[in-house]
């Protein structure tokens, strides 16, 4: 749990630094900010060259259903989940 919290802090810190420097596309900032406000996700960050072809979401396994529902409601395609990383 401690490592997960540290990972989440690092991802969020990096995202916020990029956002502060104007290096995050507006639509990506909206997606990530909304995800973090939902309380479902531990971290989220766009991955791409100012267009965020991919948004990474980090959440606890017990939040899987809520996380998937949230992502799908945004109209985003899910490319991989924790099941693909085992």
């Amino acid at each position: 749990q401690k490592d997960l919290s540290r990972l989440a802090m690092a991802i969020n810190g990096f995202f916020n630094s990029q956002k502060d420097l104007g290096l995050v596309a507006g639509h990506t900032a909206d997606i990530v900010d909304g995800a973090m406000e939902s309380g479902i996700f531990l971290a989220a960050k766009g991955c791409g060259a100012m267009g965020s072809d991919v948004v990474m979401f980090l959440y606890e396994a017990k939040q899987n259903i809520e996380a998937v529902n949230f992502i799908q409601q945004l109209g985003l395609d899910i490319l991989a989940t924790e099941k693909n990383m085992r």
Side-chain angles (χ1 to χ4, degrees):
Q1 187 65 28
K2 181 179 176 184
D3 289 339
L4 181 60
S5 294
R6 290 173 55 191
L7 176 62
M9 285 177 47
I11 292 168
N12 291 328
F14 189 57
F15 169 77
N16 288 324
S17 293
Q18 287 182 309
K19 187 175 159 184
D20 291 345
L21 292 170
L23 300 175
V24 176
H27 63 278
T28 302
D30 293 342
I31 290 169
V32 171
D33 290 343
M36 295 309 297
E37 289 171 8
S38 75
I40 298 169
F41 302 94
L42 301 173
K45 182 189 176 312
C47 305
M50 285 291 292
S52 277
D53 300 323
V54 173
V55 178
M56 179 196 65
F57 297 96
L58 179 66
Y59 56 89
E60 294 191 55
K62 66 183 178 185
Q63 295 288 98
N64 185 58
I65 293 171
E66 293 86 353
V68 168
N69 288 340
F70 184 92
I71 293 165
Q72 288 176 333
Q73 286 175 358
L74 292 175
L76 302 175
D77 294 324
I78 297 175
L79 303 177
T81 68
E82 72 282 354
K83 294 176 186 171
N84 303 103
M85 298 179 187
R86 293 183 185 177

